Amino acid sequence: MGIELLSGVLLLCILVSFALGAPVGFALGGIAMAVGYATWGEGIFNILPNTFEATLFSFILLAIPLYIYMGQLLTRSGIGDAMFNASQLVIGKVRGSLAISVIGVCSMIGAMVGIIGAGIMTSGSIALKPMLDRGYDKRLALGVIMAGGGLGILIPPSVPMIMFAASTQNSVGKMFIAALFPALLAIIVMVAYILISCKMNPDRAPLGTGAEAKMTPKEKARTLRDGFMSVLLIFAVLGSIISGIATPTESGAIGVVGAIILAFFFKRFRLGMFRMAGMETAMLVSVAMWIILGATLFSNFHLLMGVQDMIAGFTKDLGLPPLGVIILMQLVMLGLGFIIDEFIIVLMCAPLFTPIVVDLGFDPIWFGILMILNIEIAVQTPPYGFALFYLKGIAPPDVTMLDIYKSVTPFILLKLMVLVICMLNPDLVMWLPNKVMG
Amino acid sequence: MVKKIFISYCSWIDRLVRFIGKSVSVLMPLLAIVIAYEVGSRYLFNQPTIWAQDLALFFFAYLVGLGGAYAYQKKTHINVDILYLAVSPKTKRIFDVLTGILAAFFMFVLMMIAYEKFGEALQFNYRKMSNWAPHTHHFWMMLVISGALITLQISSNMVKDIYYVIAGQALISEPEEEDTEDGN
Amino acid sequence: AEHNWRFANLYSRGTAFGEVYGNMAENIEKMSGGRISVKMMYAGEGVSTTGILGAVKSGLITMGAHFQPMNAGELPAGIVEVGLPGGTADVAKLSVLFHEDGWNEVLTRAYGEQGLVYLDPYIQPPVYLLTKKPINSVADFEGLKLRAPGAYGKFVRNLGASPVSMTWSEIYTGLATGVIDGSIGSNLIDHRDGNHVEVAKYMYRLPLAGAQVLPVVVNQKAWNKLPDDLKAIVKAATTIHAREQMTKSRLWEAEAIADMEAKGMKWSPEPSEADKAAWKKAGESLWDEYAKADKFSAELIEILKKQQ
Ligand code: NA
Ligand code: NA
């Protein structure tokens, strides 16, 4: 069977099993093993040990349990609420202000974590409930989490950026700095969208129950203090990374310890709460990781069959204008997001595409930033995307996949806009790094 | 009579899976403690451990593997529910049986291969590459057990689903035991 | 083709090293007149870098170029083979060790026991240590936190440093923020590719092991299916590959040094004779420890000691 036909068969199997409502991770693993058995024979089963070992022994992925645990502890002890209560006290009169505070919190989480899964699931753990509790439109709330959580790989530190720089021999530091303007642009665009959309549809973001207005000055002071303390935790975690106490992955454990200390400080620590936070985290982590296991198995099988040759082959001799080549590459990466995770996209496409781009006279760092913006979109584009599944995992049970698909659409368009702006104006990306690092 | 056997089979499996699923969640705080200990030991006392990274990863793997069956039981594994939510309860059960077969096949392969790896790890004394060099055979056995638990849970679900499709009523009347304690 | 092989290596598609392995695959196809087809699998393409050895054992991948320290727990002799700290840089000596003194024979058994055929080894440039502060004497290692896995961890501990386990993608951030004071890389080219010089400037002049010796391995069952003429062709292609590795990797190492120096890399001061002796001693004391680890390692180290 040719690779084109095989890819078609695999896609069809995905669509059918998804339509039947199969659990994503198990379906992907099952399809890979079944189609593999039919085309390759029993030998394909040997793909399992390496996939399981490499995934479950990946230190980078420990950010997922640690940060989700921190998020769960903050939420279940009510400390997460303190943060948003305080923000409502300050900017509560602006429609959509809570969503804007959430973007702010997501940006800070983005500055702590370096992978998409940790970004979205942590942001979701902390910030989804406060928005839903205050009667925010479900889709707006979910979209904000998805968009904000994606900042995890756009704001440094970022594992995909480190991988891009390494596989194309470019400066990590320069790339981190180059990402700052696109990240800022993405944040501004999202905030603007929230403000405008809430102005046009006031129902999406109710203005609060007025609880803040009825507070006595003493209660207000207390709310502000609590909010301040919880923001302090986030700064402590950030500080532990910046000051060299812990790596971005390890800092999640600092966050966990900090959240427990805060819970004691707020007199909110209960053994039951602690136990439930552990259980909920364990469940979320298991669910997320079985998706990663199944999907990795699936993409490993597809790669062993040679899907990468399809991509390697097509970029040669296209006869397109330079910008056309760049656009085509973006489309290919968006397409790859359909089946392959963010790390493999970088690992595969960075060394393949970057030399071509450099030959055409473009800056490799700029192209790397486009790639990061691109995979951020690719992993949240329906029907198949890790970010979508992570978000469903963290959302309340009554949220359906259709809700999620619909919720991400406007934010995907916004991110596409950021991508296009950065693509057409390389100077916007490169001005700061060139100024700082020459 | 047959119904009784089905009921006891299903509730026995459900209880076992629930017990193990809840038990492994204790690894979550332990995982955080191990990493925090490593950070403290390295930063404060300049004595990085040789075991923290491997131990944390083992905790992580056990948590993911052994927690999988309980997540299956609670139906928290993510699915794309667009068509699924639109069909009748009976059709849903049929869908579940079909996708259960696919998942069970995956788990069957996992058990078979992980068991082979377990034997290989024992024979050649496989360890992790670190200085601490812990054994890895238990990791493979854990995967065999995880696969078995998930398969058992799938079988329990299937018995319930097929009974529902044939008899038109639930085998075990819901609601089942639920955790409500959240400490607040 | 009569034989359809997959060949996995550690490097990404499009990288210089990746191309050398790609050339070997092409050579096997060309020299066998297309009777063996070899599909090249680059980094991340279906098997993780740590899993190459296991994948060849099981036959998922027919042929592999793995990096032994990543599989130290599966095949301990590999860590002696690649070159323990304190090992020689002399290519002629290494050649004698492998081809005449009996290392090839021991390694053939060690790999053979696990269902692998051991083909001719090839040489890559040695491991170096990069630090944030200059190392003026060996005493400066005292108390430093250095990212150094496996055997290298034991080595730096002998120098008074604390080995830290850290995954590759966190080295850059770890050096930048000061979680670690220095890191070893699998060679100088690796340091360059990881951009580590941006955040740690000082390269120590003494390599941890003189040179690194890596093998190409083939799945036993697939090998046995080859007729003798094809076996000879694969072996010939391996020899050509070894030569290309040697010449090109020297060149690339020089390029990597130039690149890093342009980005501000500095060499720590020339170590004194006493420093050199302390460095060598830190390495040699490991030999006995590794000899105890497994029977093949013991055989290799016994031969090594005789050669000295
Ligand atoms: Na980040
Ligand atoms: Na997608």
Side-chain angles (χ1 to χ4, degrees), chain A residues 230-243:
Chain A
S230 20
V231 173
L232 209 61
L233 172 69
I234 290 184
F235 279 107
V237 175
L238 268 178
S240 78
I241 299 173
I242 294 165
S243 61

Side-chain angles (χ1 to χ4, degrees), chain A residues 107-115 151-159 161:
Chain A
S107 309
M108 288 191 276
I109 292 169
M112 296 192 251
V113 303
I115 55 179
L151 293 170
I153 59 165
L154 188 55
I155 299 177
S158 161
V159 172
M161 279 191 220

Side-chain angles (χ1 to χ4, degrees), chain C residues 24 120-121 232-245:
Chain C
M24 177 174 170
D120 242 16
I233 283 170
V234 173
K235 280 192 171 166
T238 318
T239 312
I240 298 172
H241 167 251
R243 219 178 305 137
E244 197 184 354
Q245 282 278 356

Side-chain angles (χ1 to χ4, degrees), chain A residues 161-316:
Chain A
M161 279 191 220
I162 290 174
M163 289 171 57
F164 176 88
S167 55
T168 60
Q169 291 166 27
N170 279 292
S171 160
V172 179
K174 210 169 171 182
M175 198 153 173
F176 278 4
I177 296 172
L180 292 178
F181 179 78
L184 186 67
L185 183 63
I187 293 170
I188 291 172
V189 168
M190 284 189 278
V191 170
Y193 168 79
I194 292 168
L195 285 174
I196 294 168
S197 139
C198 294
K199 192 107 193 165
M200 289 169 65
N201 306 293
D203 300 348
R204 302 194 82 183
L207 263 182
T209 50
E212 282 88 16
K214 284 180 218 140
M215 280 184 180
T216 64
K218 203 178 162 192
E219 281 170 334
K220 279 186 182 171
R222 206 185 142 85
T223 306
L224 282 177
R225 184 205 66 178
D226 291 359
F228 176 73
M229 290 295 295
S230 20
V231 173
L232 209 61
L233 172 69
I234 290 184
F235 279 107
V237 175
L238 268 178
S240 78
I241 299 173
I242 294 165
S243 61
I245 295 172
T247 68
T249 306
E250 292 170 336
S251 66
I254 309 258
V256 169
V257 173
I260 293 173
I261 292 173
L262 273 189
F264 274 110
F265 178 85
F266 284 115
K267 300 200 172 64
R268 292 272 182 73
F269 190 89
R270 307 276 182 282
L271 213 57
M273 174 280 287
F274 185 64
R275 206 171 58 85
M276 285 306 291
M279 286 242 307
E280 182 69 20
T281 310
M283 201 67 15
L284 286 169
V285 170
S286 188
V287 165
M289 289 307 298
W290 276 101
I291 292 178
I292 296 181
L293 284 168
T296 311
L297 209 55
F298 183 90
S299 75
N300 278 349
F301 167 62
H302 209 172
L303 286 160
L304 280 173
M305 296 305 281
V307 68
Q308 65 278 32
D309 297 334
M310 247 161 68
I311 293 142
F314 100 105
T315 39
K316 289 171 194 148

Side-chain angles (χ1 to χ4, degrees), chain B residues 38 42-43 46-50 53 117 120 123-131, chain C residues 57 69-70 73-74 113-114 143 145 149-150 153-154 157 162-166 179:
Chain B
E38 162 73 12
R42 184 182 65 219
Y43 186 74
N46 205 13
Q47 280 176 337
T49 68
I50 58 168
Q53 189 165 2
K117 263 314 238 197
E120 206 183 298
Q123 186 191 347
F124 295 110
N125 193 24
Y126 284 169
R127 293 158 180 276
K128 293 214 54 178
M129 63 157 282
S130 64
N131 268 331
Chain C
K57 257 184 239 177
M70 288 178 173
E74 285 171 78
E113 187 190 61
Q114 302 202 19
K145 284 174 277 201
K154 292 184 182 170
R157 178 169 285 133
S162 309
V164 175
S165 326
M166 184 178 284
V179 172

Side-chain angles (χ1 to χ4, degrees), chain A residues 170-171 173 249 304 308 351, chain C residues 6 13 45 170 172 195 198:
Chain A
N170 279 292
S171 160
T249 306
L304 280 173
Q308 65 278 32
Chain C
R6 285 183 173 76
R13 199 173 267 269
E45 297 184 354
E170 288 199 321
Y172 182 92
N195 291 290
E198 288 174 15

Side-chain angles (χ1 to χ4, degrees), chain B residues 82-146:
Chain B
I82 294 176
L83 177 63
Y84 188 79
L85 288 180
V87 298
S88 73
K90 244 186 199 175
T91 317
K92 263 188 196 127
R93 302 285 185 142
I94 295 170
F95 281 9
D96 285 347
V97 171
L98 292 174
T99 58
I101 292 170
L102 187 63
F105 172 67
F106 177 20
M107 289 303 107
F108 169 74
V109 176
L110 173 66
M111 279 187 280
M112 188 177 76
I113 293 289
Y115 185 74
E116 233 172 71
K117 263 314 238 197
F118 171 71
E120 206 183 298
L122 278 180
Q123 186 191 347
F124 295 110
N125 193 24
Y126 284 169
R127 293 158 180 276
K128 293 214 54 178
M129 63 157 282
S130 64
N131 268 331
W132 187 42
H135 287 284
T136 55
H137 50 65
H138 58 93
F139 168 79
W140 300 111
M141 190 37 91
M142 177 277 288
L143 285 180
V144 175
I145 295 169
S146 300

